[in-house]
Amino acid sequence: MSTVNRLAEIGTLVGDPTRAAMLEALMDGRALTASELARAAGVTAQTASGHLSQLATAGLLSVEKQGRHRYHRLAGSEVARLLESLMEWTAGAEPKMARAIATGPRNAAMRRARTCYDHLAGQLGVAISDALIARNIVIFSDEGGLLSPDGSDALREMGLRLPATKLKGTRPLCRPCLDWSERRPHIAGVLGATIASHAFDAGWIRRLDGSRAVTVTRTGEAELKRLFGVGAL
Amino acid sequence: MSTVNRLAEIGTLVGDPTRAAMLEALMDGRALTASELARAAGVTAQTASGHLSQLATAGLLSVEKQGRHRYHRLAGSEVARLLESLMEWTAGAEPKMARAIATGPRNAAMRRARTCYDHLAGQLGVAISDALIARNIVIFSDEGGLLSPDGSDALREMGLRLPATKLKGTRPLCRPCLDWSERRPHIAGVLGATIASHAFDAGWIRRLDGSRAVTVTRTGEAELKRLFGVGAL
DNA sequence: CCAATTCTTCGGTCTGGCCCGAAGCATCCC
DNA sequence: GGGATGCTTCGGGCCAGACCGAAGAATTGG
C-alpha cells in the first residue's frame, strides 16, 4: 500500500456521513453499543455493523465484548484529537458558514459547555483555562502547554488531585486544544481530564440528555465562581 | 450544516485516491500547475480540474493564476500538518503493514531524506534534530518543542539565521513533527524551514527528480558532518 | 430447551460521484 | 489573425459502496 492510499484510506473512513455521525457520538469518550450507534447515525443495525467493523479494523475504534453487547469506543485520545483537529479545520475554512453555525439556536448548549473527548470545552472550558492561566498555574504558548512548577500544589489546594502515577504512555499532562466554537485554546491532556471528571463527581455539571453538552448545576455555579471566578455563562 | 457533516466533508475530500495523490504531491510546499497535478494523479485534465476546484473551494488549496497556468499549493502549513497527522495515524494503525512499507525499495530514498512541507524529514531530518537536541539548542518534551535561550546564538554561529521579524501569524518557532518513517520527532516550524532552505541554498541537498525525496551532495555530506556530526545515511 | 435480544453475514438494489470524450474559453506566441 | 497550449464545462457511461430485508450466530433469562 502506497502512502497516498493510506491518506485516502482514513479519509474515506471519516468521509462517510454515517461513520462520521458514529465517531462524533463517541467523541465524549463514552463506550456505546452497536445498536445505540445505529440509532445515533439513523441506520439499521445491519448497516451499522458493517461500518463499525470497518472502523475497528482500521484501528479507530476499540471494541469490548460484554455479554451480548459490544461496546465501542474511540481507540484513544489521539483519535479524538485527530477528529477535533479535522472539525477545527473545516470550521476555520468557511468563516461565514461558521458564523451561521455559531448563531444556530440548536447548538447553543453545546457552545456553552460540552465535553471534548474527556475534558471540558466551550465557554466553560475556555473560562476555566483562562482562570488557571491568570493564576500562573498553567502556561500556554505557541509551543504548547505546561503546568507551572508549583501548579500541582495549587491545584491540590483546590481539590484537584492529578493522578500520582506518571502514565507510561506519552500522553501530555497539559495540552492546549483549540475550541472550534470559541476559537481559543482550552486545557486538554491529563489535567483537562482530571478537571472534567472532578466536575462530574462533585456534581458541578451534568450531561444534557446524554449528549456531549453539559449543564452547570446550582452548586456547580457557586463552586466554579469560588474556585475559578467563573461567572454565569 | 451540522457538525457531523463538517467532519464527513473534509473526510470525503481527502478520501478520494485521486485527490489524495494531488495533496501528497503538494506536500513539499511547491506550487504545481493543474496539468502537473493531473499527471501526478494519473487522470485527465478534465478530471483533475474538477477535483482541484473542490479542494480550492474547501479552502485546502490556494490558487494563483499566472498567464495561462494556474498554480496550486497547499493553503498553509496547517493543511500540511493536518495531512501529515493523518498519514502518521494510519502508519501507526497497522504495524505489520507499516513495516512492509518501510522495507519497500521504492521508498528507500524517501525514508533517507525528504521534505515535509517546508522542513526536512526522514533519517536526515531526525539526525539533525538529534544533533541540536544533544547540544541543548533545541528542547523536545511531551508538551512540545522549544528553542533554548542561547540557541539562537548557537545557530547563528553555524550560519543559520532565523528570520528577524517575528511572524505575525501564530506559527511556532520550533515544533516537533512526528516522522512517519522513523517514528520519531524531527524539527518543524520556522526553525525547521530555516534549516531546510539553508541546506538547499548552500547546495547541501538537492531534490530527487522533482519529488519530495532529496539527496545529500558531496559538499553537503562534509558540512553536515562538520556542523551536526551527521554521518553517512 | 425455548424465547427474546443483540449483533453479524449474505444477496440484491440503487445511487452518488468518478471518469473520460467532446466542445468551449482564455492566453500566449508567431 | 491563426494555431498551439492550458484549463474548464457539459453530457453520459459506469462502478464502488451504502443501504436494507431476510436469515443465521451468540448470549442471556426463564
Side-chain angles (χ1 to χ4, degrees), chain A residues 12-27 41 51 55 83 87, chain B residues 3-9:
Chain A
T12 306
L13 241 35
V14 186
D16 178 79
T18 301
R19 283 191 291 267
M22 290 173 162
L23 290 171
E24 157 120 33
L26 292 167
M27 283 273 299
H51 287 303
L55 292 171
L83 296 177
M87 290 178 41
Chain B
T3 130
V4 3
N5 283 339
R6 275 192 282 152
L7 237 192
E9 186 195 349

Side-chain angles (χ1 to χ4, degrees), chain A residues 33-35 46 49 68 70:
Chain A
T33 66
S35 39
Q46 313 91 290
S49 176
R68 47 188 169 185
R70 301 197 86 137

Side-chain angles (χ1 to χ4, degrees), chain B residues 31-53:
Chain B
L32 299 179
T33 66
S35 40
E36 283 171 329
L37 286 167
R39 204 167 333 117
V43 293
T44 61
Q46 314 90 290
T47 305
S49 177
H51 287 304
L52 289 172
S53 81

